[in-house]
Amino acid sequence: MLRRKMGNIGFESSVLLFGGAKLGSVTQDEADRSIAFALEHGVNHIDTAASYGDSEVRLGKWMPEIRKDVFLATKTAHRGWKEAKEEIYRSLTRLRTDTIDLLQLHAVGTIEELDKCMSAGGALEAALEAKEEGLVRHIGITGHGHSAPAVHLEALRRFAFETVLTPFNYYLYGLPEYRQSFDALVEETKRREVPLRVIKAVAKGPWAVGQTRNHATWYEPFDDQRTIDACVHYALSHEGIHGFASAGDIQLFPKIAAAVEKFGTMDDAEARALLAAIPEYGSPFGAPTSIA
């Protein structure tokens, strides 16, 4: 499994993050098989969230055994200090650990959400307090939507976030405004040595109305191996991207891991040609509007 250094944090992380959303509504046995598979294939970075159903509980069973071997990240979607601090304590209990490597302010995709997090008595104050208490080691930010890269760039201007997790794939990067804001975010994260990780690398688009949903993801993912290979190649070959979080479906994870393991066997032109030829490709966030 390919690993890359996480900027100033220094951790040699697998480029594939084990996305904890996939464990939100599965049994412990199903979770155990998926976690064991990830570890056997060299994944050493786990990225979950308090809002991902039972994910933290499913992972918590494993922490006494593997905690020292993995980079453990979770998230809080609360915007106020009190609620966020309570959630941090809850995450520690559910994950059965004394310290979280990375706490991320979750789903910050608009300036309004950023303002709430960074206001007096906001979630950022709770994160900073938890860091001072030794409960978390690093503080990051995540977000969804077409404005996420621009919002995360503004977040870095306001505060020294230590990681960024933002959407990226072939379709999104093809949107001129999105490309411009994403490129600016890449330049800033490179300058600060902040690891930039991405989400939605294998997202095909929103589920169609009435479509049978055969995956647990809230968006429709690609599920054939060749297209997943191209999506993964496109993300990992993009300058400035340290890694990506796997899609929230345990059935897709082996295919995504396989694509990472064969990274480098597909060239850039081949990947772009394959992705460009998909007529139904779209944004998981729906039709784009003006980007902040």
Side-chain angles (χ1 to χ4, degrees), residues 9 17 47 73-79 102-118 123-124 127 138-144 147-167 185 189 194-199:
I9 290 176
L17 283 58
D47 184 82
T74 193
K75 313 178 187 80
T76 178
H78 285 297
R79 302 308 183 221
L102 173 64
L103 177 74
Q104 298 159 103
L105 304 186
H106 190 31
V108 184
T110 66
I111 293 297
E112 291 74 20
E113 291 296 308
L114 181 64
D115 288 341
K116 291 176 184 177
C117 290
M118 303 191 75
L124 180 58
H138 306 284
I139 300 172
I141 191 166
T142 84
H144 295 86
S147 295
V151 173
H152 294 162
L153 178 61
E154 175 61 22
L156 288 173
R157 291 170 176 154
R158 299 186 188 186
F159 177 76
F161 286 100
E162 295 166 274
T163 67
V164 174
L165 187 62
T166 208
L185 179 62
T189 53
V194 169
L196 174 63
R197 293 85 45 70
V198 299
I199 53 176

Side-chain angles (χ1 to χ4, degrees), residues 194-220:
V194 169
L196 174 63
R197 293 85 45 70
V198 299
I199 53 176
K200 306 302 177 282
V202 301
K204 181 179 180 181
W207 292 106
V209 176
Q211 182 178 2
T212 299
R213 300 191 177 196
N214 53 355
H215 293 289
T217 45
W218 58 264
Y219 54 89
E220 183 183 4

Side-chain angles (χ1 to χ4, degrees), residues 2-290:
L2 176 65
R3 295 186 178 186
R4 291 175 179 170
K5 182 180 177 182
M6 290 180 65
N8 282 328
I9 290 176
F11 182 76
E12 292 288 338
S13 170
S14 55
V15 295
L16 177 57
L17 283 58
F18 185 83
K22 67 175 62 64
L23 305 183
S25 57
V26 301
T27 67
Q28 188 65 55
D29 285 346
E30 290 171 319
D32 289 346
R33 288 194 291 272
S34 188
I35 296 166
F37 180 91
L39 297 172
E40 289 166 4
H41 286 259
V43 175
N44 69 348
H45 189 137
I46 295 171
D47 184 82
T48 188
S51 58
Y52 291 167
D54 291 330
S55 177
E56 291 180 331
V57 175
R58 301 288 177 247
L59 288 162
K61 175 189 171 183
W62 286 74
M63 286 306 127
E65 178 183 352
I66 69 171
R67 181 66 188 91
K68 67 182 184 303
D69 301 318
V70 298
F71 188 90
L72 179 60
T74 193
K75 313 178 187 80
T76 178
H78 285 297
R79 302 308 183 221
W81 172 87
K82 180 178 182 295
E83 296 82 2
K85 192 64 179 294
E86 289 174 350
E87 193 161 66
I88 293 167
Y89 284 124
R90 178 173 175 263
S91 291
L92 289 164
T93 299
R94 283 158 54 101
L95 287 165
R96 298 173 63 183
T97 185
D98 295 327
T99 308
I100 295 165
D101 292 309
L102 173 64
L103 177 74
Q104 298 159 103
L105 304 186
H106 190 31
V108 184
T110 66
I111 293 297
E112 291 74 20
E113 291 296 308
L114 181 64
D115 288 341
K116 291 176 184 177
C117 290
M118 303 191 75
S119 64
L124 180 58
E125 289 186 0
L128 285 167
E129 187 175 282
K131 186 175 182 180
E132 291 170 1
E133 295 170 354
L135 303 179
V136 304
R137 294 191 175 98
H138 306 284
I139 300 172
I141 191 166
T142 84
H144 295 86
H146 298 119
S147 295
V151 173
H152 294 162
L153 178 61
E154 175 61 22
L156 288 173
R157 291 170 176 154
R158 299 186 188 186
F159 177 76
F161 286 100
E162 295 166 274
T163 67
V164 174
L165 187 62
T166 208
F168 176 86
N169 60 35
Y170 178 83
Y171 180 87
L172 290 171
Y173 194 63
L175 302 173
E177 284 186 89
Y178 199 95
R179 178 189 291 255
Q180 182 179 4
S181 59
F182 190 86
D183 286 347
L185 179 62
V186 167
E187 288 306 309
E188 186 64 11
T189 53
K190 286 169 59 178
R191 186 182 74 81
R192 293 173 179 251
E193 295 187 73
V194 169
L196 174 63
R197 293 85 45 70
V198 299
I199 53 176
K200 306 302 177 282
V202 301
K204 181 179 180 181
W207 292 106
V209 176
Q211 182 178 2
T212 299
R213 300 191 177 196
N214 53 355
H215 293 289
T217 45
W218 58 264
Y219 54 89
E220 183 183 4
F222 291 111
D223 57 8
D224 66 285
Q225 189 65 62
R226 184 101 177 123
T227 305
I228 291 174
D229 291 349
C231 290
V232 168
H233 178 93
Y234 188 77
L236 291 182
S237 62
H238 194 94
E239 184 181 6
I241 292 178
H242 287 74
F244 72 102
S246 59
D249 185 292
I250 59 173
Q251 305 305 322
L252 285 175
F253 187 72
K255 292 183 177 182
I256 295 170
V260 175
E261 290 172 340
K262 66 177 78 168
F263 174 63
T265 62
M266 178 181 286
D267 62 37
D268 292 349
E270 184 180 6
R272 289 193 182 97
L274 192 157
L275 296 171
I278 300 171
E280 67 275 27
Y281 205 174
S283 168
F285 312 116
T289 55
S290 181

